[in-house]
Amino acid sequence: MDRLVIQGGQPLRGRIRVSGAKNAALPCLAASLLTPEPVLLSNLPAVADIRTMVKVLQALGTEAALEPEGEGFELKARLACGGSEDPKAPYELVKTMRASILVLGPLLARFGQATVSLPGGCAIGARPVNLHLEALERMGAVMEISHGYIHATLKGRLKGIDHTFEKVSVGATENLLMAATLAEGTTVLRNAALEPEIGDLAHMLAGMGARIEGIGTGTLTVTGVARLHGCEHAVIPDRIEAGTFLCSVAAACGDVVLDRCEPDHLRALLDLLERAGCVLTEREGQEGRQLRIQRECGQKLHSKDIVTQPFPGFPTDLQAQAMAVMTQATGISVINEGIFENRFQHAMELERLGANLRAEGHRAIVAGPSELTGCTVMATDLRASAALVIAGLVASGETVVDRIYHLDRGYAGLERKLQGVGARIQRIGGGKV
Ligand code: EPZ
């Protein structure tokens, strides 16, 4: 089992190229089921979840070829789903990657039936899918749940609905948006999630011939069409990967430029880090927007409170990383996790490194700055792993982060990118993603 070994205390200096967004790539891959024509997706991050989603698509009858692009941190996928006799997304794959549920809407829209394993919970929470199922039922699908699987059937085509999600859900918005593109009539999705990944999916669908109004707003209006055609689409940069690197510099000090990121997707974090005392500058680079973050060694950080919320609020996927930063800030930081019910598992591991914090229910209180000293810590979920790496970059001595298969699900070459800006970090164990 791979682990990362980090010698902390080294400021980070140089440039990092941000990869494509995992959470945009996954729904875009699922959207390829909506057409028999070839779809070419690029700037996909070379991470385990992408490979798993491609395996799910292949199990559903998609011909898929993945090839590396760039410096090996990205992948290009050529996909074509000519047909699917009895579309079934198997438990063995779905249990390793919950986002497989995103094939449900496209399969119903295209083939009128689907069998998808219930994803089950994960380390950060129960992760129910009721919002997906309720809305698809309103569109005419009949859902039967047995033996851990969703058996969805449909007479004729999905029907357009005017639907208000009772809770903002990224996945449910994506599933219904895809389903609505081939439905009969018009679908209005209200209280839709605003995350940039949804806008990216919508732009891809529009490129396939879908008719969508209100992209980027909380009300999406989709006029169903008879069929969609193939497309070429490059996914947006990964705002959570970019935010993870910004938090790394804020915690460990230094001066780093991020290439190919989108500052507008990160305003809540940029505001927090600026108010905490970091210097952030944005400019146009050869490959799109750039973000530079500076925190001089010895420069004091001010503690700030954090409440995670749906976009454009502070992202839950950066809560763990920001907690690692706040262990180095002077004062008390109150962190409220407003999205998931169990997303503080990194807190106990940060305490083992010497952080002074208490986590209870939806709230954690961090008192800083703390002297962190290296030890062996265990990753529990994707973003918690990133928080432990950040803390390891700060801690004196050696930190070993175990079970980094969690990290490999969502970060392409994290240790290599950090080595590129001077971090003393090595992967041992030799496994390949
Ligand atoms: C997406 O998960 C992301 N995953 C998550 O990123 C991210 O944390 C989350 O959105 C919130 O931003 C992908 O995009 C693949 P939700 P998703 O539906 O769609 C509840 C990462 O680290 N809910 O917006 O599953 C749910 O329990 C991952 O990259 C229901 O109650 O999140 C949660 O409390 C982790 N019923 C809240 O809504 C439902 O049917 C938001 O969940 C669906 C969700």
Side-chain angles (χ1 to χ4, degrees):
M1 199 182 288
D2 283 9
R3 43 180 40 191
L4 289 178
V5 178
I6 308 165
Q7 306 296 334
Q10 184 74 20
L12 305 177
R13 296 189 192 290
R15 316 177 72 91
I16 297 176
R17 195 164 178 271
V18 177
S19 293
K22 164 181 84 81
N23 290 352
L26 292 171
C28 286
L29 283 163
S32 67
L33 292 166
L34 290 164
T35 176
E37 297 181 17
V39 167
L40 176 62
L41 289 174
S42 57
N43 200 32
L44 303 174
V47 297
D49 274 8
I50 298 303
R51 299 181 199 284
T52 303
M53 181 59 100
V54 169
K55 285 187 192 137
V56 171
L57 296 177
Q58 287 168 325
L60 293 167
T62 296
E63 272 171 48
L66 270 180
E67 54 192 70
E69 62 171 350
E71 297 148 37
F73 298 131
E74 283 91 39
L75 296 166
K76 200 176 275 189
R78 295 173 192 287
L79 307 143
C81 181
S84 190
E85 291 317 309
D86 168 20
K88 176 172 181 178
Y91 173 67
E92 300 66 46
L93 290 173
V94 176
K95 74 178 176 189
T96 64
M97 208 256 316
R98 311 186 57 269
S100 311
I101 191 70
L102 293 174
V103 303
L104 183 58
L107 289 174
L108 277 171
R110 175 93 186 277
F111 302 114
Q113 59 167 336
T115 300
V116 180
S117 166
L118 272 170
C122 72
I124 65 176
R127 311 294 294 277
V129 290
N130 59 303
L131 298 174
H132 303 237
L133 303 185
E134 284 159 16
L136 289 168
E137 281 177 326
R138 286 198 63 207
M139 295 185 82
V142 176
M143 304 283 179
E144 193 233 316
I145 292 180
S146 63
H147 307 298
Y149 277 83
I150 304 160
H151 302 276
T153 52
L154 177 67
K155 283 199 175 31
R157 287 172 70 189
L158 289 170
K159 303 277 180 298
I161 54 173
D162 188 323
H163 185 74
T164 301
F165 289 108
E166 67 184 81
K167 187 173 187 180
V168 173
S169 161
V170 171
T173 302
E174 290 165 345
N175 235 333
L176 272 291
L177 176 59
M178 290 187 280
T181 58
L182 292 177
E184 214 166 279
T186 298
T187 299
V188 182
L189 300 175
R190 303 178 197 277
N191 198 24
L194 296 168
E195 272 67 7
E197 292 76 26
I198 289 161
D200 195 38
L201 171 64
H203 288 127
M204 173 187 169
L205 293 169
M208 296 166 74
R211 294 171 55 191
I212 305 169
E213 288 159 47
I215 297 176
T217 76
T219 301
L220 297 169
T221 303
V222 187
T223 306
V225 294
R227 60 180 286 131
L228 294 177
H229 51 73
C231 72
E232 293 193 9
H233 181 76
V235 302
I236 55 172
D238 192 323
R239 62 192 168 99
I240 305 302
E241 185 197 23
T244 301
F245 290 126
L246 293 173
C247 288
S248 301
V249 179
C253 300
D255 181 349
V256 168
V257 173
L258 298 184
D259 284 320
R260 267 194 351 167
C261 63
E262 182 42 74
D264 286 342
H265 294 169
L266 277 163
R267 291 292 166 211
L269 177 69
L270 300 183
D271 173 59
L272 174 82
L273 294 180
E274 252 172 14
R275 285 186 291 119
C278 298
V279 175
L280 288 140
T281 42
E282 301 173 28
R283 57 186 177 190
E284 271 310 313
Q286 279 88 357
E287 294 191 280
R289 304 288 290 280
Q290 286 176 340
L291 255 176
R292 179 181 182 186
I293 180 166
Q294 296 164 280
R295 182 196 166 199
E296 289 317 313
C297 298
Q299 182 198 331
K300 187 170 154 179
L301 271 187
H302 310 291
S303 62
K304 295 295 168 194
D305 293 344
I306 297 167
V307 180
T308 68
Q309 305 171 69
F311 193 88
F314 192 92
T316 175
D317 291 351
L318 285 172
Q319 178 258 106
Q321 300 91 316
M323 185 184 287
V325 175
M326 288 302 144
T327 68
Q328 301 309 300
T330 302
I332 302 286
S333 165
V334 178
I335 300 176
N336 268 289
E337 172 52 55
I339 307 290
F340 290 111
E341 61 267 32
N342 187 33
R343 203 167 196 177
F344 283 143
Q345 297 199 57
H346 44 285
M348 288 82 84
E349 296 301 294
L350 290 173
E351 274 190 282
R352 297 191 55 247
L353 285 161
N356 182 7
L357 53 82
R358 288 288 172 280
E360 226 164 74
H362 283 261
R363 172 174 295 184
I365 298 176
V366 184
S370 312
E371 270 300 307
L372 302 186
T373 52
C375 68
T376 296
V377 287
M378 188 176 75
T380 51
D381 61 85
L382 170 55
R383 307 305 176 181
S385 326
L388 298 179
V389 170
I390 292 171
L393 293 171
V394 176
S396 57
E398 180 172 281
T399 297
V400 178
V401 182
D402 232 342
R403 302 192 177 182
I404 57 161
Y405 58 85
H406 291 291
L407 205 70
D408 292 335
R409 293 192 48 184
Y411 289 97
L414 183 73
E415 75 276 8
R416 284 160 52 201
K417 293 184 176 182
L418 288 170
Q419 286 162 3
V421 290
R424 290 172 298 190
I425 179 170
Q426 295 298 332
R427 175 184 287 257
I428 57 172
K432 279 272 166 285
V433 169

